[in-house]
Amino acid sequence: MPAHYQIEGSTSAAISASVEGGIRSGTLAPGDALPAVRALATGLAVSPATVARAYQELRQRGLVVTAGRHGTRVRPRPPVAARRAGLLPPPLPGARDLSTGQPDPRLLPPLGPHLAALAAEIGPPTGYAAAAVVPDLADAARERLAADGVPAAEITVSGGALDGIERLLAAHLRPGDAVAVEDPGWANLLDLVAALGLRAIGVPVDDEGPTEPGVRAALAAGARALIVTSRAQNPTGAAVSADRAEALRALLAGRSDLLLIEDDHAAELARVPLRPLAGATPTWAFVRSVSKPYGPDLRLAVLAGDEATVARVAGRARVGAGWVSTVLQRLVLALWRDPATADLVHRAGESYERRRHGLVEALRAHGLPAHGRTGINVWVPVPDETVVVTALRDAGWSVAPGALNRIAAGPGIRITVSSLDEADLAPLAAAAARATQPTAPFGFTA
């Protein structure tokens, strides 16, 4: 812990508030170690049990993590607004930023014409009572999901995929419950699970999705929920194959104690068929957002599921945010109905496919075991994330360290291809190969 920050307090609430204040101000940075329980108790003249309760509260809120002999540390991305960010070093001037996980803005459909048309036909303002799922949007969503084999008799909308997943977990689970998540997996989801006071159980992922032995082990460890990315898994690019889906459906069949959540965030961008698990368990939900194909500012996802689950999500929304803007819903519906937009999204998917596949092949030609079956990201296992990220940054390429995505998985880096041109692939692969090669030891040799 930085020597210039002193934790204060005589109660567990005051101690946890003091730690949170340090995180919020940026004095306690992500990864900083907190004092051992007994050492802090001695310094504050309180009992070790008081400090232990404070640390437990911080863990349950996702602010800190305890890692065995490494002690208690501030989480990489604690769920509190901080005045100073220290998660990723900024790219050097002139460097290419491949760390964002964002779609290519050059391939997003223009919203202006649709907003203008919507303004002309939207009609008089609506009141609170009229706010709900727009019927035409619900019908279109059911049709699109049914075409992919997802039963969608019950449907609602949420403010994006993560918002839908948060409502699902909050409606079904309680702090301390275990959630099976992909490892490596989506960093935002790992942070959300921690912020809700839930316990993450990592499930290994290969190119065909979560492994059957990994899911089986998570169920045996008491997982109350399982979250699966259907396609374009972040960060590995995995997609659930037909064989994997069949094996997982058989494993999950009849598990009335398990909430199954599928996230199909790539949706229309994906170039592989959807192999849904929807309905394998009595309690399930399938979430499909529009941000990747149509634009990150469109915070909307359609959520299908069993009747009770959809009712819970809609009910929690009603007593919280209320509803997703009907203006936004109508805008998404206009984008879905526009043939020119559909063509642009299709061409974007093809472009991502070429760039991602080209980078994977270029990396493998250098002997690097890259992964990226679908989506906009490529995952490259490396021996030392810090060394590789630093070397690539010095060479003009900013990539994301895999530490933000991992629980127990081995180290790696994530490369987002959306800002790459095909001419960039060979130079980037060569730079990555140089970055992963061990340097010659210094000193004399015989």
Side-chain angles (χ1 to χ4, degrees), residues 205-407:
V205 179
D206 61 22
D207 290 336
E208 298 183 64
T211 66
E212 182 186 1
V215 173
R216 190 183 300 276
L219 297 178
R224 294 285 313 283
L226 168 65
I227 304 174
V228 175
T229 308
S230 304
R231 303 175 284 192
Q233 197 264 359
N234 186 353
T236 69
V240 176
S241 67
D243 289 343
R244 184 63 50 81
E246 182 180 0
L248 292 180
R249 290 183 71 90
L251 176 62
L252 300 175
R255 289 293 302 245
S256 59
D257 58 337
L258 183 75
L259 168 64
L260 171 64
I261 302 174
E262 289 181 90
D263 174 16
D264 186 36
H265 66 93
E268 294 90 345
L269 286 177
R271 300 294 94 193
V272 297
L274 179 71
R275 307 297 183 182
L277 305 177
T281 59
T283 305
W284 63 276
F286 184 94
V287 184
R288 176 178 285 177
S289 66
V290 303
S291 296
K292 284 293 191 300
Y294 301 99
D297 199 36
L298 301 178
R299 312 308 299 167
L300 183 144
V302 296
L303 188 154
D306 67 275
E307 181 180 2
T309 294
V310 172
R312 287 189 186 187
V313 171
R316 290 188 71 88
R318 195 174 300 118
V319 299
W323 68 93
V324 174
S325 164
T326 56
V327 176
L328 175 57
Q329 293 185 54
R330 293 183 185 192
L331 174 59
V332 169
L333 180 60
L335 291 168
W336 281 353
R337 287 174 168 174
D338 180 24
T341 297
D343 181 63
L344 180 58
V345 171
H346 177 80
R347 286 189 282 118
E350 294 291 336
S351 177
Y352 292 138
E353 183 80 5
R354 289 192 302 272
R355 285 181 271 174
R356 189 195 65 255
H357 179 74
L359 180 58
V360 168
E361 291 301 310
L363 290 166
R364 288 177 178 174
H366 284 279
L368 299 180
H371 300 272
R373 187 174 169 217
T374 55
I376 63 174
N377 297 307
V378 171
W379 175 258
V380 188
V382 297
D384 189 309
E385 290 178 9
T386 302
V387 169
V388 174
V389 169
T390 302
L392 281 171
R393 183 171 179 262
D394 292 342
W397 307 95
S398 179
V399 302
L404 297 176
N405 304 88
R406 298 188 289 111
I407 299 174

Side-chain angles (χ1 to χ4, degrees), residues 15 20 23 58 76-77 94 97 99 107-108 117 161 192 219 251 313 443:
I15 294 168
E20 180 177 348
I23 296 172
L58 291 165
R77 299 197 300 181
D97 189 359
S99 66
L107 298 178
L108 294 175
L192 173 64
L219 297 178
L251 176 62
V313 171

Side-chain angles (χ1 to χ4, degrees), residues 42 46 71 114 174 192 250 300 321 403:
T42 300
V46 300
H114 295 285
R174 298 293 177 266
L192 173 64
L300 183 144

Side-chain angles (χ1 to χ4, degrees), residues 16 37 51-67 72-73 75 193-198:
S16 64
V37 169
V51 176
R53 282 196 299 272
Y55 281 12
Q56 181 183 29
E57 178 186 344
L58 291 165
R59 283 195 302 272
Q60 289 177 341
R61 294 181 51 222
L63 295 173
V64 303
V65 61
T66 300
T72 300
R73 295 180 177 273
R75 278 185 57 84
V193 168
L196 292 174
L198 303 172

